[in-house]
Amino acid sequence: MPGGARISLNFMDSSLSSLKNCQSYINTGMDIATHVALDLVENFNDAEDVKSIENVMLEYAAMDRELNHYVEAIEETVNQTCVLTLTVHEKYFKILKKTLCTPDKLKTSLLNIKRENPENMPDLKYLVKEKFTALESKNSDSDLQRNEKYLYFQDQLKEMRKQFRHQSGDDNEAIEQIDEDIVVTQSQMNFICPITQMEMKRPVRNKVCGHTYEEDAILKIIQTRKQQKKKVRCPKIGCSHADVKGSDLVPDEALKRAIDSQNKQSWSTLEKSAGYDAATKEICC
């Protein structure tokens, strides 16, 4: 084994804890970047700026992959070392078992255990580095694009662009208005939860089948079915997905923004209408 400073199992445990804290910071950074990108799309500024955010997401994904490799390398090393340690202890346990009736021999055996040469223990630092290097050698760009947070980012951007399609040009305005009305009506239908039959306030998307539900409603069904030891079928009519799990649900931020935007527009229209009616009444009187 290579020389140099050796590290202990306690140090390895501490390192694992620190790495997992770093992972939570990366996840938070990716969540913030996703929200910023959605803000840009919502404000119809989704060209170069969103591309920059996408590059940031890929950088985060690269950091996340590197951290995951460190965590995997440390965990494998710890497991390997624990097996080796148990083997060594088993060897001495057999010695002790044979000498229990002889106090002097028992004392000698215990001293031998205490004097075990540190060179006989594995170099944990070297093992971690070796395993980490092996994992990193298999890296590819496609790994980053398969990152769960990056996939969510792309999915939400796609949905956001659908919901906030910017209509431009002045060809046949009447036809465009009809098309826009159809799009709005269809969008409003997507705002309704298939469980509560009400407009969603906290929509979540099922990663498996793509359908959305009100968060509290679907989680309540999942919890009830779990107590009954039964699976949950997707509540959307016509969906064949028969095993909805809480772990498959992700917040649908794009849909929530679309619902909020639609509600703001509705309130704005009502306020303008109320103001117009009040003004007309005042003039008439």
Side-chain angles (χ1 to χ4, degrees):
M1 294 283 179
R6 292 175 181 270
I7 56 179
S8 66
L9 285 173
N10 286 337
F11 179 82
M12 301 276 273
D13 287 337
S14 176
S15 297
L16 269 179
S17 178
S18 297
L19 288 172
K20 288 176 180 177
N21 282 336
C22 289
Q23 282 180 315
S24 69
Y25 297 146
I26 288 175
N27 287 335
T28 300
M30 295 181 90
D31 289 340
I32 292 171
T34 299
H35 280 82
V36 171
L38 295 180
D39 285 341
L40 293 171
V41 175
E42 189 173 356
N43 291 288
F44 308 116
N45 184 19
D46 61 337
E48 288 185 24
D49 291 334
V50 173
K51 184 63 180 176
S52 297
I53 300 293
E54 183 178 352
N55 292 334
V56 169
M57 290 293 289
L58 289 171
E59 289 176 13
Y60 272 127
M63 287 189 285
D64 186 57
R65 179 181 62 187
E66 185 177 9
L67 274 178
N68 283 331
H69 285 169
Y70 268 121
V71 168
E72 187 175 344
I74 290 174
E75 287 178 339
E76 284 185 8
T77 301
V78 168
N79 290 337
Q80 180 181 332
T81 305
C82 286
V83 170
L84 178 61
T85 304
L86 285 172
T87 304
V88 172
H89 286 178
E90 189 177 66
K91 179 183 73 173
Y92 284 114
F93 177 75
K94 288 178 180 177
I95 294 172
L96 293 174
K97 193 174 181 181
K98 290 177 183 177
T99 59
L100 284 178
C101 296
T102 314
D104 290 338
K105 288 185 178 180
L106 176 59
K107 184 177 180 182
T108 303
S109 296
L110 290 170
L111 286 172
N112 285 336
I113 293 174
K114 288 181 70 176
R115 290 169 184 166
E116 178 73 21
N117 291 329
E119 289 78 11
N120 293 334
M121 296 300 291
D123 186 336
L124 303 183
K125 185 177 180 180
Y126 172 79
L127 287 176
V128 169
K129 185 177 180 181
E130 186 178 48
K131 293 179 186 299
F132 173 76
T133 302
L135 290 168
E136 286 284 291
S137 67
K138 298 175 184 176
N139 286 350
S140 68
D141 291 341
S142 61
D143 295 340
L144 306 182
Q145 294 170 351
R146 289 195 298 267
N147 178 280
E148 188 173 348
K149 289 280 187 182
Y150 179 77
L151 289 173
Y152 176 75
F153 167 81
Q154 291 288 9
D155 174 70
Q156 288 294 287
L157 276 185
K158 181 181 175 182
E159 291 301 316
M160 197 72 173
R161 284 173 175 143
K162 273 190 202 173
Q163 299 290 350
F164 289 88
R165 232 180 352 249
H166 183 55
Q167 306 250 342
S168 60
D170 41 16
D171 297 333
N172 205 324
E173 293 181 4
I175 293 176
E176 285 187 0
Q177 184 60 47
I178 291 171
D179 290 341
E180 186 176 344
D181 289 342
I182 292 172
V183 169
V184 169
T185 303
Q186 290 174 339
S187 294
Q188 287 172 335
M189 288 174 65
N190 293 332
F191 296 167
I192 304 300
C193 171
I195 304 168
T196 64
Q197 294 301 312
M198 296 176 65
E199 186 178 87
M200 290 178 279
K201 295 180 179 178
R202 295 178 63 184
V204 290
R205 180 183 295 276
N206 189 326
K207 292 188 290 184
V208 178
C209 63
H211 292 129
T212 52
Y213 332 99
E214 180 65 55
E215 183 179 31
D216 290 342
I218 188 64
L219 289 179
K220 187 175 180 179
I221 291 176
I222 291 173
Q223 183 62 31
T224 301
R225 289 288 186 173
K226 185 177 180 182
Q227 291 171 353
Q228 298 170 346
K229 297 183 179 179
K230 294 181 180 179
K231 294 181 179 180
V232 179
R233 177 176 288 277
C234 175
K236 186 74 173 179
I237 295 174
C239 182
S240 60
H241 183 46
D243 190 13
V244 179
K245 299 175 182 175
S247 57
D248 293 330
L249 305 176
V250 292
D252 196 332
E253 180 66 23
L255 182 57
K256 183 179 185 303
R257 286 171 180 248
I259 293 171
D260 291 343
S261 176
Q262 184 65 39
N263 288 337
K264 285 178 184 176
Q265 288 178 17
S266 298
W267 276 110
S268 177
T269 302
L270 285 172
E271 286 175 355
K272 286 179 182 178
S273 177
Y276 176 78
D277 290 343
T280 303
K281 187 176 181 181
E282 187 175 340
I283 291 170
C284 292
C285 296

